[in-house]
Amino acid sequence: MKTIRIDVAVIGAGTAGLAAYRAAKAGGASALIIEGGPYGTTCARVGCMPSKLLIAAAEAVHHANHTELFGVHVDGEVRVDGREVMARVKSERDRFVGFVVRGVDGIPAEDKLPGYARFVDNTTLQVDDHTIVQAKRVVIATGSSPAIPAPFKVFGDRLIVNDDVFDWDTLPRSVAVFGPGVIGLELGQALSRLDVRVRVFGAGGGVGPLSDPAVRDYARQALAGQFYLDPDAKVLEMANDGDAARIRYLNLDGAEVEERFDYVLAATGRAPNVRGLGLENTSLKLDARGVPLFDAKTLQCGDSPVFIAGDANNILPLLHEAADEGKTAGANAAAYPMVSAGLRRSTIAVVFSDPQMMMVGSRFADLQIGSFVTGEVSFEDQGRSRVMGINTGLLHVYADKATGRFLGAEMIGPRAENLAHLLAWSHQQNLTVGQMLDMPFYHPVIEEGLRTALRDAAARLA
């Protein structure tokens, strides 16, 4: 077994790990990146990019089937070829993965070590059975994996996670989705539009990441009008019948229903990849999930020379957050023991459902009742939205009662991905509602709906 001595060892070559490696090198440290699995980030391989490819195909079908509003009629059947749909998804997915792999290929060979790392002590790692890495500092950037509750194991080979969807050669006839979060809603709606029989089941009434009761209720109604969605499902029995999954449940009318599905998609959250790292061999204090306790600003684990970044720490499992955290962890590992807070941008999250959802800054659930006002706009009668026939949605913006500062927003509605950026920039600049209203608004655009919500907030502040 050989031994490698290095300043910074980075475990994981995903978005956070690659950013950490580059930041450590930029900080003047020698660095080694250790990866046991295939190269290619979660986003490129099984996350944001392939899911958006499937959604794009679903949107094409939806638009082709809904032209009559404009007096345009498509005569004849709009046919979905599942093999062609999945061929494009996989081909373009592989192209995006290729970009990441080529980036890894540019890293010097001596800075890459294949294999799975396990802690021997705080800064000593054993990689498979071939290498001991003696590092001065370590960055954990091992990402996350789908979390599957034990009861779902009853489905056996009928049970899948989102990673499996993007390896299909064709589309199935039916899928039951458990978990109406970001992944469940995006894939559930897309598959439904691609002529797959879909049922989406949830627990507790949640819809996506929304916490504002009014916006969440609007989202539930808007989406349930397009595909079967029960955010608080009453499932009576689950079983594997060999060639299908069988689910017995109470439908939205309270009637007992039994259905068979080709697959059951468990979209029930993700868990940090920390099992098997040998963290019990370190002096690090761990939380109930086995994740090291760490400072959210510096990403340092206690006062140790160990840092944790990206989905592995589960603060905000988003690509741009992972990149920022990787940079912070790598820079601090290089500079240790002189560590400092890294960049924390205003929070921005988007769900690519239709209508889209977004959250910016502080969520409704994070705000103290009585300390803020809410500005509202419905997009049902908003001019540009009606022109395009996408006039479904509700936006809430929150402003501090004392200062008028914009605090955050939650929304379901048209082009939420674009409005989210305008609001996130405003939030990061600490703008007040009044200052935001002084910005230019063109006519007729969907952004005028945002202005209406801001005006409503301003009136409530007056």
Side-chain angles (χ1 to χ4, degrees):
M1 188 175 296
K2 69 176 181 179
T3 299
I4 295 176
R5 293 175 175 82
I6 202 78
D7 289 337
V8 179
V10 179
I11 309 174
T15 300
L18 292 171
Y21 164 81
R22 295 184 182 113
K25 295 286 283 189
S30 60
L32 178 71
I33 193 160
I34 306 167
E35 175 58 70
Y39 290 123
T41 63
T42 295
C43 174
R45 191 176 293 280
V46 296
C48 3
M49 300 314 291
S51 66
K52 302 312 168 286
L53 287 162
L54 192 68
I55 290 168
E59 288 177 341
V61 177
H62 180 74
H63 294 323
N65 280 321
H66 293 83
T67 62
E68 65 280 356
L69 173 68
F70 305 100
V72 177
H73 301 275
V74 177
D75 296 324
E77 179 186 7
V78 177
R79 183 173 58 88
V80 176
D81 187 309
R83 290 192 175 277
E84 292 180 9
V85 168
M86 294 311 301
R88 180 175 187 266
V89 168
K90 292 195 288 186
S91 174
E92 288 296 307
R93 181 271 314 272
D94 292 346
R95 181 170 173 270
F96 290 122
V97 171
F99 293 149
V100 179
V101 172
R102 283 195 289 276
V104 176
D105 288 343
I107 296 173
E110 62 270 22
D111 287 358
K112 293 181 289 189
L113 179 63
Y116 291 94
R118 182 176 174 83
F119 282 88
V120 176
D121 57 38
N122 279 11
T123 56
T124 303
L125 305 170
Q126 180 173 331
V127 181
D128 290 344
D129 295 323
H130 54 71
T131 306
I132 293 292
V133 177
Q134 294 181 342
K136 295 178 182 177
R137 282 85 71 188
V138 178
V139 176
I140 301 171
T142 47
S144 63
S145 299
I148 304 175
F152 290 96
K153 301 294 179 68
V154 71
F155 292 118
D157 61 357
R158 300 290 99 190
L159 180 66
I160 61 171
V161 295
N162 62 292
D163 303 31
D164 302 314
V165 170
F166 307 118
D167 284 328
W168 284 342
D169 291 325
T170 190
L171 294 169
R173 294 164 300 176
S174 57
V175 176
V177 180
F178 280 88
V182 176
I183 293 172
L185 289 179
E186 287 186 350
L187 294 183
Q189 183 180 49
L191 291 171
S192 177
R193 288 182 167 184
L194 290 165
D195 294 340
V196 178
R197 176 168 56 87
V198 170
R199 304 288 184 267
V200 179
F201 303 107
V207 180
L210 299 172
S211 73
D212 187 309
V215 180
R216 184 180 61 229
D217 289 346
Y218 192 105
R220 178 184 55 79
Q221 294 177 32
L223 296 175
Q226 301 182 47
F227 58 94
Y228 186 92
L229 169 62
D230 186 351
D232 193 17
K234 303 297 185 294
V235 176
L236 306 176
E237 183 184 9
M238 304 189 299
N240 185 337
D241 278 354
D243 61 345
R246 178 167 53 84
I247 300 174
R248 187 163 56 88
Y249 63 97
L250 298 181
N251 68 14
L252 295 170
D253 295 323
E256 186 174 313
V257 176
E258 182 172 290
E259 289 190 276
R260 292 163 58 87
F261 300 90
D262 291 333
Y263 295 105
V264 172
L265 170 61
T268 46
R270 298 179 70 86
N273 291 331
V274 293
R275 293 172 66 91
L277 282 179
L279 291 170
E280 66 275 10
N281 298 326
T282 70
S283 63
L284 303 178
K285 294 182 179 179
L286 310 180
D287 66 15
R289 304 165 302 164
V291 178
L293 299 177
F294 64 97
D295 184 306
K297 295 180 179 178
T298 65
L299 304 179
Q300 183 182 13
C301 300
D303 59 359
S304 76
V306 179
F307 302 81
I308 185 166
D311 288 8
N313 68 34
N314 206 35
I315 295 180
L316 289 168
L318 300 166
L319 179 138
H320 61 278
E321 296 286 351
D324 286 346
E325 287 190 1
K327 185 176 180 180
T328 296
N332 279 335
Y336 178 83
M338 303 298 293
V339 301
S340 58
L343 173 65
R344 279 288 179 194
R345 306 173 204 257
S346 288
T347 303
I348 177 173
V350 176
V351 183
F352 290 86
S353 54
D354 181 15
Q356 293 179 341
M357 302 179 204
M358 69 84 168
M359 292 172 38
V360 164
S362 296
R363 304 179 309 153
F364 175 89
D366 299 328
L367 298 171
Q368 183 178 350
I369 300 299
S371 69
F372 68 98
V373 300
T374 300
E376 177 179 296
V377 64
S378 166
F379 284 89
E380 293 177 5
D381 285 321
Q382 198 274 324
R384 178 68 169 163
S385 300
R386 287 196 68 87
V387 166
M388 295 186 291
I390 52 174
N391 52 310
T392 300
L394 179 67
L395 165 64
H396 278 185
V397 297
Y398 316 119
D400 184 77
K401 268 188 176 181
T403 65
R405 185 170 66 87
F406 170 62
L407 298 175
E410 295 194 30
M411 172 187 180
I412 178 168
R415 298 189 179 172
E417 60 181 298
N418 305 116
L419 293 181
H421 282 82
L422 295 180
L423 289 172
W425 297 342
S426 298
H427 184 270
Q428 190 155 314
Q429 293 296 318
N430 291 315
L431 297 184
T432 65
V433 167
Q435 289 170 324
M436 294 166 72
L437 283 168
D438 286 340
M439 299 294 181
F441 288 85
Y442 201 72
H443 173 76
V445 293
I446 285 176
E447 285 73 11
E448 289 177 297
L450 168 58
R451 182 175 61 184
T452 299
L454 292 172
R455 283 175 171 169
D456 186 34
R460 296 172 188 273
L461 288 167

